[in-house]
Amino acid sequence: MFAIMIATLALQAEPRVLTHVDFARPPMPEVPGAALSRGIPSGYATVECSVEAGAITACTIVDEDPAGIRFGVMLLSEMRRARLKPEIAAEVTRFRLTARFVNRSL
């Protein structure tokens, strides 16, 4: 009975969320038009994604600054094209990624 309880608890535990993963094709989001037109020099967005069968799925915006400029939306869009390295994809179930944006036109 003791072994069964341990196995059940292990299955219910939240998966570890990695904050560093290696990409075969990294996300490369562009600076949002709102940042360009308003002269915003930089910003960032953080997303958290699940990995199922080696593919990145179910990404959500966790944070972005400044808010309302669409940094998070731009990163989410790029996550659809991003690919993890196969050896990483086989081991990861969740990860968090922060992308920094710099407006080089200023």
Side-chain angles (χ1 to χ4, degrees):
M1 174 111 178
F2 182 71
I4 293 171
M5 287 178 63
I6 291 174
T8 302
L9 290 174
L11 290 174
Q12 293 173 350
E14 283 292 316
R16 186 172 66 132
V17 177
L18 297 181
T19 56
H20 176 77
V21 292
D22 291 322
F23 289 93
R25 194 238 178 249
M28 299 179 68
E30 295 182 16
V31 174
L36 295 172
S37 66
R38 295 180 190 172
I40 296 171
S42 63
Y44 73 88
T46 302
V47 295
E48 187 168 305
C49 301
S50 298
V51 178
E52 295 176 13
I56 299 170
T57 61
C59 293
T60 57
I61 300 169
V62 176
D63 192 19
E64 65 179 334
D65 187 60
I69 304 299
R70 301 180 54 85
F71 288 112
V73 171
M74 296 301 283
L75 183 54
L76 277 180
S77 177
E78 264 304 292
M79 293 310 295
R80 293 184 191 115
R81 290 183 276 282
R83 300 290 177 262
L84 294 171
K85 287 186 175 180
E87 61 273 16
I88 300 298
E91 298 179 14
V92 174
T93 58
R94 295 179 66 90
F95 68 91
R96 188 173 281 206
L97 174 73
T98 297
R100 303 205 184 285
F101 297 78
V102 177
N103 185 346
R104 300 199 188 279
S105 67
L106 295 178

